Amino acid sequence: MTNPTPTLSHTIADIKAIIHREARRVTSYDVASLAGVSQSAVSRCFKPGASVSKATYARVMQAAQDLDYIPNAAARSLITRRSNLVAVIVAGAVSQHYSDVLSELSCQFSRRGMHIILFNLPSESAMDRTLAEVWQHQVDGAVVAARLSGDQVAEFERRQVPLVLFNRNVAGRAVSAVVCNQEEAARAMVTRLAAGGHKRFAMIDGPAQSPIAQQRKRGMAGRLAELGLPAPLAVAGGFDYASGARGLREIIDRFGGVPDVIVCGNDLMAIGCLDTARHDFNIDVPDRLSVTGFDGIAASSWISYNLTTMRQPLLSMAQAAAEMLVGLVGGTGSGHEQRSYSATFVDGATARLGPA
Amino acid sequence: MTNPTPTLSHTIADIKAIIHREARRVTSYDVASLAGVSQSAVSRCFKPGASVSKATYARVMQAAQDLDYIPNAAARSLITRRSNLVAVIVAGAVSQHYSDVLSELSCQFSRRGMHIILFNLPSESAMDRTLAEVWQHQVDGAVVAARLSGDQVAEFERRQVPLVLFNRNVAGRAVSAVVCNQEEAARAMVTRLAAGGHKRFAMIDGPAQSPIAQQRKRGMAGRLAELGLPAPLAVAGGFDYASGARGLREIIDRFGGVPDVIVCGNDLMAIGCLDTARHDFNIDVPDRLSVTGFDGIAASSWISYNLTTMRQPLLSMAQAAAEMLVGLVGGTGSGHEQRSYSATFVDGATARLGPA
DNA sequence: TTGTACGCGTTATCAA
DNA sequence: TTGATAACGCGTACAA
């Protein structure tokens, strides 16, 4: 009785038993021995574009399937020095806001065979500890949507880990970033509001540490000054719904009445402000008071709000960030390209506006 | 001139130059040579609870810091067979809804020295391809908030990768899961609504493939039958805001008017329904029509809505999922513990209710 | 096209 | 407590 296939050292069951006994994982050696080829042949079969004969490829793939073999990414990354892992570092507060961004990044990277390790900062101060964990995992690059010091950026350079900042800037350092021009957005908003005849501006500001809040505030103040309008009455907020409600009360208290317009640091606060104005104070928006936001979150376009706001093109920005990082990992790109996006004005129903 | 420290084979600059020239990473050998100890000594210094003398430890740590040495997680995971990586697999549609869950999971795991690799399914059908990528990365476990077939669950078992399902069930298989009892929640809601005198029920259902939507629908239908009330008029929805608006129109069309109550498959649809009812149809909610949701998302408690809904304890559930998975990875736990949570009734202002 | 031999950077074992 | 040595599972020169 002849056997047409080459004599194999082990059957599937044999090998599986051995693996089980030795409490090992299935390795390329196991596949090789089942397929009757060398380990390197197996390795080549899993490398796209490697030189393998059709017959060998088929035998190896069959054996791999029989044994449920999957290459070990850890071992591979050890030798190739590529982990196909990207760190995404976000500060806890913004992570809700950025859930769409996260999905988009995940899709974009997975399309290129890469995956995301998520680092969620409980507080911005935990960055150094977090970075240490990032280095351990040998990520190929990082997208950071959190505050980074100059030294921290320098460490990325020193370790040669490509870095793309998301909606953040680092003063005085050449670093790749995808940003939305917050200051310009704020100026545009003020311009429209002023054209609508608003004179007495108030604002509910974001957290003092937030660079985005700072930029929006600066843009607003700058444009108001240019237009010869009085500086806005600014109260502090925390970018959340409750801050909008509190902010309105504080403004009414300190203003001794209602201003012409309340520019809120983001949509969530604008919605809180709007709800409180209408339901608790019975203030007609926009007839007696205009309220505006920033961001263009989903809720801003709900019928109840139809918020006048500036929309950030977050999805495009996420795409750009992924694309830039992939470029940097691949060796393309300068390492300090800044892609700047503009927010678009959303002509809602919460502000009395002049002609466009 | 005597040197009190032991003679070292290289200075910091020497070693850094060598590393640079050879385009290598800093390894434990480099640290060892700088500190004048063996490589194993370095390794021990980075292993908590290993036996190292104080003097050695100090010298090694100093050298490590001088060279910016960080242990390589890939190499470590190769030998320890632990990657300290957990896969979190979510279906694209739910990822927005689960952003809080994701943050919480990330915090919980990072507290235990583990990190999350995010797998975001574009469509539920991409699961097999995704799982192949999961296996590659040698994750220590997985939290899955997406549809999983029996075979797919079996593969987790075969590969001995601990698995915790999040708000999902797999029929006929013993598998660890954290769930919220959707059917019970729906029954509770119907009970309250019936006590409020509602008789003609309509519902805006979630996607047909969604098990959560199915369970909520089943609970509702079951309880209505028990109470001797007519079966609800059900229209299809997609768990998004627009579905709520469309659903209302369809119900009014098919019902030939307004039912007593519209039970929505989730809060987002309830909010869409509510907005459309009030602003487009001028229907008084709750006086003429009651509208209820499920989930207890942030927006449901905004002043404009104050939605009557059933709140899922998502944060507790996320904590539980992390805790269970860590237990399974550590060898504790049965592998098929089901932790079931109950939704809590939120007595909002969008439904006419009987006494509690 | 295929196989041999080596190295990636770490932890684990064991003898000193 | 310390150091030599052997894995871990893979990719890749190099020779055949």
Side-chain angles (χ1 to χ4, degrees), chain B residues 166-242:
Chain B
F166 192 86
N167 238 345
R168 303 276 171 155
N169 267 309
V170 170
R173 280 216 170 258
V175 52
S176 292
V178 176
V179 297
C180 182
N181 195 329
Q182 311 292 346
E183 197 166 332
E184 172 196 85
R187 300 175 70 87
M189 178 61 92
V190 169
T191 303
R192 297 293 293 256
L193 290 169
H198 298 81
K199 298 214 179 327
R200 297 172 306 164
F201 283 70
M203 86 172 299
I204 304 176
D205 197 10
Q209 323 86 321
S210 160
I212 290 181
Q214 287 166 17
Q215 290 164 44
R216 288 174 179 171
K217 186 177 189 178
R218 188 164 52 236
M220 180 180 176
R223 186 65 184 134
L224 280 177
E226 284 176 18
L227 293 169
L229 290 166
L233 168 64
V235 304
F239 271 168
D240 60 333
Y241 180 86

Coordinates of all heavy atoms in Angstrom, one line a residue, chain B residues 166-242:
Chain B
F166 N -20.2 41.5 26.7 CA -20.8 42.7 27.3 C -22.2 43.0 26.7 O -22.3 43.3 25.5 CB -19.9 43.9 27.1 CG -20.2 45.1 27.9 CD1 -19.8 45.2 29.2 CD2 -21.1 46.1 27.5 CE1 -20.1 46.3 30.0 CE2 -21.5 47.2 28.2 CZ -21.0 47.3 29.5
N167 N -23.2 42.8 27.5 CA -24.5 43.1 27.1 C -24.9 42.2 25.9 O -25.7 42.6 25.1 CB -24.8 44.5 26.8 CG -25.9 45.1 27.6 OD1 -26.7 44.4 28.2 ND2 -26.0 46.4 27.7
R168 N -24.4 41.0 25.9 CA -24.7 40.0 24.8 C -24.8 38.7 25.5 O -24.2 38.4 26.5 CB -23.6 40.0 23.8 CG -23.3 41.3 23.1 CD -24.2 41.5 22.0 NE -24.1 42.9 21.5 CZ -24.3 43.3 20.3 NH1 -24.8 42.4 19.4 NH2 -24.2 44.5 19.9
N169 N -25.6 37.8 24.8 CA -25.7 36.4 25.2 C -25.4 35.5 24.0 O -25.6 35.9 22.9 CB -27.1 36.2 25.8 CG -27.1 36.4 27.3 OD1 -26.2 35.8 28.0 ND2 -28.0 37.2 27.7
V170 N -24.9 34.4 24.3 CA -24.8 33.4 23.3 C -25.6 32.2 23.7 O -25.4 31.6 24.8 CB -23.3 33.0 23.1 CG1 -23.3 31.8 22.2 CG2 -22.6 34.1 22.5
A171 N -26.6 31.8 22.9 CA -27.5 30.8 23.3 C -26.7 29.4 23.3 O -25.9 29.1 22.5 CB -28.6 30.7 22.2
G172 N -27.0 28.7 24.4 CA -26.6 27.3 24.5 C -25.1 27.2 24.7 O -24.5 26.1 24.4
R173 N -24.4 28.2 25.2 CA -23.0 28.1 25.5 C -22.7 28.7 26.8 O -23.2 29.8 27.2 CB -22.2 28.8 24.4 CG -22.0 28.0 23.2 CD -20.6 28.2 22.6 NE -20.5 27.2 21.5 CZ -19.8 26.1 21.7 NH1 -19.2 25.9 22.8 NH2 -19.6 25.3 20.7
A174 N -21.9 28.0 27.6 CA -21.5 28.6 28.9 C -20.4 29.6 28.6 O -19.3 29.3 28.2 CB -20.9 27.5 29.8
V175 N -20.7 30.8 28.8 CA -19.7 31.9 28.6 C -19.9 33.0 29.6 O -21.0 33.3 30.0 CB -19.8 32.4 27.1 CG1 -21.2 32.8 26.8 CG2 -18.9 33.5 26.9
S176 N -18.8 33.6 30.0 CA -18.9 34.7 31.0 C -19.5 35.9 30.3 O -19.2 36.2 29.2 CB -17.5 35.1 31.5 OG -17.0 34.0 32.2
A177 N -20.4 36.6 31.1 CA -21.0 37.7 30.5 C -21.5 38.7 31.6 O -21.8 38.3 32.7 CB -22.2 37.3 29.6
V178 N -21.5 39.9 31.2 CA -22.1 41.0 32.0 C -23.3 41.5 31.2 O -23.1 42.0 30.1 CB -21.1 42.1 32.3 CG1 -21.8 43.2 33.1 CG2 -19.9 41.6 33.1
V179 N -24.5 41.3 31.8 CA -25.6 41.7 31.0 C -26.5 42.6 31.8 O -26.4 42.7 33.1 CB -26.4 40.5 30.5 CG1 -25.6 39.7 29.6 CG2 -26.9 39.7 31.7
C180 N -27.4 43.3 31.1 CA -28.4 44.1 31.8 C -29.7 43.4 31.4 O -29.9 43.1 30.2 CB -28.4 45.5 31.4 SG -29.7 46.5 32.2
N181 N -30.6 43.1 32.3 CA -31.8 42.3 32.0 C -32.8 43.2 31.2 O -33.6 43.9 31.8 CB -32.4 41.8 33.2 CG -33.4 40.7 32.9 OD1 -34.1 40.7 31.9 ND2 -33.5 39.8 33.8
Q182 N -32.6 43.1 29.9 CA -33.4 44.0 29.0 C -34.9 43.6 29.1 O -35.8 44.5 29.0 CB -32.9 43.9 27.6 CG -31.4 44.1 27.4 CD -31.0 45.5 27.8 OE1 -31.8 46.4 27.9 NE2 -29.7 45.7 28.0
E183 N -35.1 42.3 29.1 CA -36.5 41.9 29.1 C -37.3 42.3 30.3 O -38.4 42.9 30.2 CB -36.5 40.3 28.9 CG -37.9 39.8 28.5 CD -37.8 38.3 28.0 OE1 -36.7 37.9 27.6 OE2 -38.8 37.7 28.1
E184 N -36.6 42.1 31.4 CA -37.2 42.6 32.7 C -37.4 44.1 32.7 O -38.5 44.6 33.2 CB -36.2 42.2 33.8 CG -36.6 42.7 35.2 CD -35.4 42.6 36.1 OE1 -34.5 43.6 36.1 OE2 -35.2 41.6 36.9
A185 N -36.5 44.8 32.1 CA -36.6 46.3 32.1 C -37.8 46.6 31.3 O -38.6 47.5 31.6 CB -35.4 46.9 31.5
A186 N -38.0 46.0 30.1 CA -39.1 46.3 29.3 C -40.5 45.9 30.0 O -41.4 46.7 29.9 CB -39.0 45.5 28.0
R187 N -40.4 44.8 30.7 CA -41.7 44.4 31.4 C -42.0 45.5 32.5 O -43.1 45.8 32.7 CB -41.5 43.1 32.0 CG -41.2 42.0 31.0 CD -40.9 40.6 31.7 NE -42.1 40.1 32.3 CZ -43.0 39.3 31.7 NH1 -42.7 39.0 30.4 NH2 -44.0 38.9 32.3
A188 N -41.0 45.9 33.2 CA -41.2 46.9 34.2 C -41.8 48.2 33.7 O -42.7 48.8 34.2 CB -39.9 47.2 35.0
M189 N -41.2 48.6 32.5 CA -41.7 49.8 31.9 C -43.2 49.6 31.5 O -44.0 50.5 31.8 CB -40.9 50.1 30.6 CG -41.3 51.3 29.9 SD -41.2 52.8 30.8 CE -39.6 53.4 30.5
V190 N -43.5 48.5 30.9 CA -44.9 48.3 30.5 C -45.8 48.3 31.7 O -46.9 48.9 31.7 CB -45.0 46.9 29.7 CG1 -46.5 46.6 29.5 CG2 -44.4 47.1 28.4
T191 N -45.4 47.6 32.8 CA -46.2 47.6 34.0 C -46.5 49.0 34.5 O -47.7 49.3 34.8 CB -45.4 46.8 35.1 OG1 -45.1 45.5 34.6 CG2 -46.3 46.7 36.3
R192 N -45.5 49.8 34.5 CA -45.7 51.2 35.0 C -46.7 52.0 34.0 O -47.5 52.7 34.5 CB -44.4 52.0 35.0 CG -43.4 51.4 36.0 CD -43.9 51.6 37.5 NE -44.0 53.0 37.9 CZ -43.1 53.5 38.7 NH1 -42.1 52.8 39.2 NH2 -43.3 54.8 39.0
L193 N -46.5 51.8 32.7 CA -47.3 52.5 31.8 C -48.8 52.0 31.8 O -49.7 52.8 31.8 CB -46.7 52.3 30.4 CG -45.4 53.0 30.1 CD1 -44.8 52.5 28.8 CD2 -45.6 54.5 30.0
A194 N -48.9 50.7 32.0 CA -50.3 50.1 32.1 C -51.0 50.7 33.4 O -52.1 51.0 33.3 CB -50.2 48.6 32.1
A195 N -50.2 50.8 34.4 CA -50.8 51.3 35.7 C -51.2 52.8 35.5 O -52.1 53.3 36.2 CB -49.7 51.2 36.8
G196 N -50.5 53.4 34.5 CA -50.9 54.8 34.3 C -52.1 54.9 33.3 O -52.5 56.0 32.9
G197 N -52.6 53.8 33.0 CA -53.9 53.8 32.2 C -53.6 53.7 30.7 O -54.6 53.8 29.9
H198 N -52.4 53.5 30.3 CA -52.2 53.4 28.8 C -52.7 52.1 28.3 O -52.5 51.0 29.0 CB -50.7 53.5 28.5 CG -50.0 54.8 28.9 ND1 -49.7 55.0 30.2 CD2 -49.8 55.9 28.2 CE1 -49.1 56.3 30.2 NE2 -49.2 56.8 29.0
K199 N -53.3 52.1 27.2 CA -53.9 50.8 26.7 C -53.4 50.6 25.2 O -53.0 49.5 24.9 CB -55.4 50.9 26.6 CG -56.1 51.1 28.0 CD -57.4 50.4 28.0 CE -58.1 50.5 29.4 NZ -57.1 50.5 30.5
R200 N -53.3 51.6 24.4 CA -52.9 51.4 23.0 C -51.4 51.7 22.9 O -51.0 52.9 22.9 CB -53.7 52.3 22.1 CG -55.2 52.0 22.2 CD -56.0 53.0 21.4 NE -55.7 54.3 21.9 CZ -56.0 55.5 21.2 NH1 -56.6 55.4 20.0 NH2 -55.7 56.6 21.7
F201 N -50.6 50.6 22.9 CA -49.1 50.8 22.9 C -48.6 50.7 21.4 O -49.1 49.9 20.6 CB -48.5 49.6 23.6 CG -48.5 49.8 25.1 CD1 -49.7 49.7 25.8 CD2 -47.4 50.0 25.8 CE1 -49.8 49.8 27.2 CE2 -47.4 50.2 27.2 CZ -48.6 50.1 27.9
A202 N -47.7 51.6 21.2 CA -46.9 51.5 19.9 C -45.4 51.4 20.3 O -45.1 51.8 21.4 CB -47.1 52.6 19.0
M203 N -44.6 50.9 19.4 CA -43.2 50.9 19.7 C -42.4 51.2 18.5 O -42.7 50.8 17.4 CB -42.7 49.6 20.4 CG -42.4 48.4 19.4 SD -41.7 47.1 20.4 CE -40.2 47.8 21.1
I204 N -41.2 51.9 18.7 CA -40.2 52.0 17.7 C -39.1 51.1 18.1 O -38.4 51.3 19.0 CB -39.8 53.5 17.6 CG1 -41.0 54.4 17.4 CG2 -38.8 53.6 16.4 CD1 -40.6 55.9 17.3
D205 N -39.0 50.0 17.3 CA -38.1 49.0 17.6 C -36.7 49.3 17.1 O -36.4 50.2 16.3 CB -38.6 47.7 16.8 CG -38.0 46.4 17.3 OD1 -37.3 46.5 18.4 OD2 -38.1 45.4 16.7
G206 N -35.7 48.6 17.7 CA -34.3 48.8 17.2 C -34.0 47.9 16.0 O -35.0 47.3 15.5
P207 N -32.8 47.8 15.5 CA -32.5 47.0 14.4 C -32.8 45.6 14.6 O -32.6 45.1 15.7 CB -31.0 47.2 14.3 CG -30.6 48.4 15.0 CD -31.7 48.6 16.1
A208 N -33.3 44.9 13.6 CA -33.8 43.5 13.8 C -32.7 42.6 14.2 O -32.9 41.6 15.0 CB -34.3 43.0 12.4
Q209 N -31.4 42.9 13.9 CA -30.3 42.0 14.3 C -29.9 42.2 15.7 O -29.1 41.4 16.3 CB -29.1 42.2 13.4 CG -29.3 42.5 11.9 CD -29.6 44.0 11.7 OE1 -30.2 44.7 12.5 NE2 -29.0 44.5 10.6
S210 N -30.3 43.3 16.3 CA -29.8 43.6 17.6 C -30.5 42.8 18.7 O -31.7 42.9 18.9 CB -30.0 45.1 17.9 OG -30.0 45.3 19.3
P211 N -29.7 42.0 19.4 CA -30.3 41.2 20.5 C -30.9 42.0 21.5 O -32.0 41.6 22.1 CB -29.1 40.4 21.0 CG -28.0 40.6 20.1 CD -28.2 41.9 19.3
I212 N -30.3 43.1 21.8 CA -30.9 44.0 22.9 C -32.3 44.5 22.5 O -33.2 44.4 23.2 CB -30.0 45.2 23.1 CG1 -28.7 44.7 23.8 CG2 -30.7 46.3 23.9 CD1 -27.7 45.8 24.1
A213 N -32.4 44.9 21.2 CA -33.7 45.3 20.7 C -34.7 44.2 20.8 O -35.8 44.4 21.2 CB -33.6 45.8 19.3
Q214 N -34.2 43.0 20.4 CA -35.1 41.8 20.5 C -35.6 41.6 21.9 O -36.8 41.3 22.1 CB -34.4 40.6 20.0 CG -34.2 40.6 18.5 CD -33.2 39.5 18.0 OE1 -32.9 38.6 18.8 NE2 -32.6 39.7 16.8
Q215 N -34.7 41.6 22.8 CA -35.1 41.3 24.2 C -36.1 42.3 24.7 O -37.1 42.0 25.4 CB -33.9 41.3 25.1 CG -33.0 40.1 24.8 CD -31.6 40.2 25.5 OE1 -31.5 40.7 26.6 NE2 -30.6 39.9 24.7
R216 N -35.8 43.6 24.4 CA -36.7 44.7 24.9 C -38.1 44.5 24.3 O -39.1 44.6 24.9 CB -36.1 46.0 24.5 CG -34.9 46.4 25.4 CD -34.2 47.7 24.9 NE -33.1 47.9 25.8 CZ -32.2 48.9 25.6 NH1 -32.3 49.7 24.6 NH2 -31.2 49.1 26.5
K217 N -38.1 44.1 23.0 CA -39.4 43.9 22.3 C -40.1 42.7 22.9 O -41.3 42.8 23.2 CB -39.1 43.7 20.8 CG -40.4 43.6 20.0 CD -40.1 43.4 18.6 CE -41.4 43.5 17.7 NZ -41.1 43.4 16.3
R218 N -39.4 41.6 23.2 CA -40.0 40.4 23.7 C -40.6 40.7 25.1 O -41.7 40.3 25.4 CB -39.0 39.3 23.8 CG -39.6 38.0 24.2 CD -38.6 36.8 23.9 NE -37.3 37.1 24.5 CZ -36.2 37.0 23.8 NH1 -36.2 36.8 22.5 NH2 -35.1 37.2 24.5
G219 N -39.8 41.4 25.9 CA -40.3 41.8 27.3 C -41.6 42.6 27.2 O -42.6 42.3 27.9
M220 N -41.6 43.5 26.3 CA -42.8 44.4 26.2 C -44.0 43.6 25.7 O -45.1 43.7 26.3 CB -42.5 45.5 25.1 CG -43.6 46.4 24.9 SD -43.1 47.6 23.7 CE -44.7 48.5 23.5
A221 N -43.8 42.8 24.7 CA -44.9 42.0 24.1 C -45.4 41.0 25.2 O -46.6 40.9 25.4 CB -44.5 41.3 22.9
G222 N -44.5 40.4 25.9 CA -44.9 39.4 26.9 C -45.7 40.0 28.0 O -46.8 39.5 28.4
R223 N -45.3 41.2 28.5 CA -46.0 41.8 29.6 C -47.3 42.3 29.2 O -48.3 42.2 29.9 CB -45.1 42.9 30.2 CG -45.7 43.6 31.4 CD -45.7 42.6 32.6 NE -46.3 43.2 33.8 CZ -47.2 42.5 34.5 NH1 -47.6 41.3 34.2 NH2 -47.7 43.1 35.6
L224 N -47.4 42.8 28.0 CA -48.7 43.3 27.4 C -49.7 42.2 27.4 O -50.8 42.3 27.8 CB -48.5 43.9 26.1 CG -47.9 45.4 26.0 CD1 -47.7 45.8 24.6 CD2 -48.9 46.3 26.7
A225 N -49.2 41.0 26.9 CA -50.1 39.9 26.8 C -50.6 39.5 28.2 O -51.8 39.2 28.4 CB -49.3 38.7 26.1
E226 N -49.7 39.4 29.1 CA -50.1 39.1 30.5 C -51.1 40.0 31.0 O -52.0 39.6 31.8 CB -48.9 39.1 31.4 CG -47.9 38.0 31.3 CD -46.7 38.2 32.2 OE1 -46.7 39.0 33.1 OE2 -45.6 37.5 31.9
L227 N -51.0 41.2 30.7 CA -52.0 42.2 31.2 C -53.3 42.3 30.4 O -54.2 43.1 30.7 CB -51.3 43.6 31.2 CG -50.1 43.8 32.2 CD1 -49.4 45.1 31.9 CD2 -50.6 43.7 33.6
G228 N -53.3 41.4 29.4 CA -54.5 41.4 28.6 C -54.7 42.6 27.7 O -55.8 42.9 27.2
L229 N -53.6 43.2 27.4 CA -53.6 44.4 26.5 C -53.3 44.0 25.1 O -52.6 43.0 24.8 CB -52.7 45.5 27.0 CG -53.1 46.2 28.3 CD1 -51.9 47.0 28.9 CD2 -54.3 47.1 28.0
P230 N -53.8 44.7 24.1 CA -53.5 44.4 22.7 C -52.0 44.5 22.4 O -51.3 45.2 23.0 CB -54.3 45.4 21.9 CG -54.6 46.5 22.8 CD -54.6 45.9 24.2
A231 N -51.6 43.7 21.4 CA -50.2 43.7 21.0 C -49.8 45.1 20.5 O -50.7 45.7 19.9 CB -49.9 42.6 20.0
P232 N -48.6 45.5 20.7 CA -48.2 46.8 20.2 C -48.0 46.9 18.7 O -47.7 46.0 18.1 CB -46.9 47.1 20.9 CG -46.3 45.7 21.0 CD -47.4 44.8 21.3
L233 N -48.3 48.1 18.2 CA -48.0 48.4 16.9 C -46.5 48.7 16.8 O -46.0 49.7 17.4 CB -48.8 49.6 16.4 CG -48.3 50.2 15.0 CD1 -48.5 49.2 13.9 CD2 -49.1 51.5 14.8
A234 N -45.7 47.9 16.1 CA -44.3 48.0 16.1 C -43.8 48.5 14.8 O -44.1 47.9 13.8 CB -43.6 46.8 16.5
V235 N -43.0 49.5 14.8 CA -42.3 49.9 13.5 C -40.8 49.8 13.7 O -40.3 49.9 14.8 CB -42.7 51.4 13.1 CG1 -44.2 51.5 13.0 CG2 -42.1 52.4 14.1
A236 N -40.1 49.7 12.6 CA -38.7 49.4 12.7 C -37.9 50.7 12.9 O -38.3 51.8 12.3 CB -38.2 48.7 11.5
G237 N -36.8 50.7 13.5 CA -35.9 51.8 13.7 C -34.4 51.4 13.7 O -34.2 50.2 13.7
G238 N -33.6 52.3 13.7 CA -32.1 52.0 13.7 C -31.3 52.5 14.9 O -30.1 52.6 14.8
F239 N -32.0 52.7 16.0 CA -31.4 53.2 17.2 C -30.8 54.6 17.1 O -30.1 55.0 18.0 CB -30.3 52.2 17.6 CG -30.7 51.1 18.5 CD1 -29.9 50.0 18.8 CD2 -32.0 51.1 19.1 CE1 -30.3 49.0 19.6 CE2 -32.4 50.1 19.9 CZ -31.6 49.0 20.2
D240 N -31.1 55.3 16.0 CA -30.6 56.7 15.9 C -31.7 57.7 16.0 O -32.9 57.4 15.9 CB -29.8 56.9 14.6 CG -30.7 56.6 13.4 OD1 -31.6 55.8 13.5 OD2 -30.4 57.2 12.3
Y241 N -31.3 59.0 16.1 CA -32.3 60.1 16.3 C -33.3 60.1 15.2 O -34.5 60.2 15.4 CB -31.5 61.4 16.4 CG -32.3 62.6 16.5 CD1 -32.7 63.1 17.8 CD2 -32.8 63.4 15.5 CE1 -33.5 64.2 18.0 CE2 -33.5 64.6 15.6 CZ -33.9 65.0 16.9 OH -34.6 66.1 17.1
A242 N -32.8 60.0 13.9 CA -33.7 60.1 12.8 C -34.8 59.0 12.8 O -35.9 59.2 12.4 CB -32.9 60.1 11.5

